[in-house]
Amino acid sequence: MLAAQVIGVGSYAPDRRVDNAELSRTIETSDAWIRERTGIGERRIAAPGEVASDLATAAAKRALEVAGLKPNDIDMIVVATVTGDRPLPATAAIVQRKLGVTNRCGAFDLAAACAGFVYGLGLGNALIGQGQCRHVLVIGVEVLSRFVDWQDRTTCVLFGDGAGAVVLGPGAEEQPPGISGVHLHCQGSMSHLLTIPAGGSERPASEASLAEREHYVRMEGQDVFRVAVKELASACLSAIDAQQLKAAEVDWVVAHQANERILEAVAQRSGIPFERFFRNIARYGNTSSASIPLALDEAYQHGSLEPGSKLVLCALGAGIAWGSCVVRWHLPKPTPRSAAGP
Ligand code: ACO
């Protein structure tokens, strides 16, 4: 099976920045508490009327530009999200329309929460490897600001809005595989740890569910923290072991940006130095499925990635679902024309 590689990357974040000081004017919190416990300084919040497909389309356009492809060159659109425009249809269908893709390519959403982008990469890699698709657009997008309870200080300070996208294409046979060592896992017995209780078929919207504020994210923070450290560290090691790489050979770990303390602990457990963990959580907070492609694009635009760079991607979130893979970067550094970060 021929492995896929990343041939384009892009991201988009809404203009509005909400810093910790602004939050502390509406809920009982402080910049010091949020920074010390999470590493977050500010987050981006979508403008009224700005929806997931808008963010996703903006990120996808940038990724297509870097790839030098036209919208109709895409054979499959995968949108990883848990905060799509509507329950029906898939946000991917709306993105297809907004991008101007008229070739009737497949388009669907993938719900694996914060792990969604890594799941999407694994899937795109398989579709290309089996010869079913040539170019797969994998997008991670969230507008979590519409699903957090802005009266609940234990969750609302953590999340932000954003989108990131990659275009996958077939790798060259003479090069090391662009995507490899894909590991995808879920432990459904922990699904209660992070959930939005109402709004689905189990508990449809009702006056009672609205009064109980059950349409918002609820989380057992400390339990999620513990499982995140354990499983992310072991997922990083599984991915690099599968490729016979040593921790010292990893150039960058581009991990889901949930909490800086989680990343520190994962570094300690995995033996990969913390300086190799790319971090932008201070400026975006936790953007769930968008966080890895946002970070990848930022690393690319800053010139931190070059052909031959060996990356480990890993993420964990609601489900509890998690995943990891090794990405060998083959894209040349950006030219000033294509430099267009979020
Ligand atoms: N501001 C001020 N005080 C706060 C805030 C806040 N925003 N939130 C909670 N507190 C208070 C609590 O009420 C508690 O007060 P008490 O001691 O008087 O009861 C105190 O701070 C300590 O609360 P803890 O919950 O023990 O704080 P902890 O150190 O565990 O940090 C946090 C909480 C940041 C949520 C942490 O558990 C965490 O990061 N968990 C991981 C969860 C996560 O990242 N989820 C995202 C989705 S899953 C993923 O992406 C991996």
Side-chain angles (χ1 to χ4, degrees):
M1 193 175 97
L2 195 68
Q5 62 175 336
V6 175
I7 61 170
V9 60
S11 63
Y12 171 83
D15 290 339
R16 179 152 185 254
R17 296 161 198 262
V18 173
D19 64 14
N20 296 339
E22 184 174 343
L23 283 184
S24 71
R25 289 196 282 276
T26 52
I27 50 168
E28 205 182 323
T29 191
S30 66
D31 180 54
W33 192 97
I34 301 171
R35 276 184 197 277
E36 190 186 309
R37 302 286 173 127
T38 71
I40 299 167
E42 62 179 30
R43 69 286 294 144
R44 302 290 186 94
I45 302 294
E50 197 176 28
V51 295
S53 61
D54 296 325
L55 277 59
T57 302
K61 281 183 176 167
R62 290 174 180 175
L64 282 168
E65 191 184 331
V66 171
L69 294 181
K70 303 245 175 318
N72 277 337
D73 294 329
I74 294 299
D75 304 310
M76 182 67 75
I77 301 173
V78 183
V79 174
T81 188
V82 289
T83 57
D85 291 10
R86 302 173 175 199
L88 202 72
T91 298
I94 301 165
V95 170
Q96 188 202 55
R97 172 171 61 77
K98 288 186 176 175
L99 277 176
V101 176
T102 54
N103 63 8
R104 307 202 297 174
C105 71
F108 65 98
D109 290 359
L110 189 165
C114 305
F117 181 77
V118 177
Y119 270 63
L121 273 192
L123 191 73
N125 188 37
L127 287 170
I128 290 171
Q130 286 166 7
Q132 204 171 325
C133 297
R134 185 166 173 81
H135 297 128
V136 178
L137 177 61
V138 182
I139 303 171
V141 59
E142 304 292 356
V143 184
L144 276 154
S145 61
R146 309 237 163 94
F147 296 85
V148 295
D149 185 346
W150 289 101
Q151 294 176 16
D152 175 9
R153 67 177 183 172
T154 68
T155 52
C156 74
V157 301
L158 303 174
F159 297 102
D161 302 336
V166 296
V167 181
L168 301 180
E173 279 193 43
E174 66 279 7
Q175 282 177 331
I179 297 173
S180 57
V182 178
H183 287 72
L184 304 175
H185 299 282
C186 180
Q187 191 164 335
S189 60
M190 293 192 285
S191 55
H192 60 285
L193 294 181
L194 182 48
T195 181
I196 298 178
S201 59
E202 180 190 342
R203 194 145 165 71
S206 67
E207 276 182 28
S209 67
L210 284 171
E212 296 292 324
R213 307 185 75 73
E214 289 181 327
H215 299 274
Y216 299 122
V217 171
R218 290 190 182 173
M219 182 179 69
E220 303 292 334
Q222 291 187 355
D223 290 341
V224 173
F225 191 103
R226 275 191 287 274
V227 68
V229 171
K230 176 170 171 271
E231 300 302 351
L232 286 174
S234 109
C236 281
L237 293 175
S238 302
I240 63 176
D241 284 353
Q243 291 304 297
Q244 281 103 41
L245 287 173
K246 296 191 177 60
E249 293 174 292
V250 174
D251 294 302
W252 288 107
V253 178
V254 184
H256 169 46
Q257 310 283 303
N259 182 319
E260 195 148 277
R261 289 188 302 144
I262 293 179
L263 299 182
E264 264 169 355
V266 171
Q268 212 163 31
R269 271 193 180 223
S270 66
I272 304 173
F274 188 48
E275 312 80 71
R276 308 250 178 94
F277 280 65
F278 188 86
R279 281 165 285 147
N280 64 2
I281 189 171
R283 284 172 287 115
Y284 298 104
N286 180 345
T287 57
S288 188
S289 66
S291 89
I292 288 183
L294 250 170
L296 260 187
D297 187 41
E298 208 167 276
Y300 168 70
Q301 296 294 342
H302 288 174
S304 305
L305 307 181
E306 54 193 354
S309 292
K310 292 186 258 326
L311 320 180
V312 174
L313 272 47
C314 62
L316 175 143
I320 293 289
W322 66 97
S324 62
C325 64
V326 170
V327 169
R328 285 183 172 83
W329 199 256
H330 296 306
L331 267 177
K333 288 193 178 194
T335 58
R337 195 182 65 83
S338 68

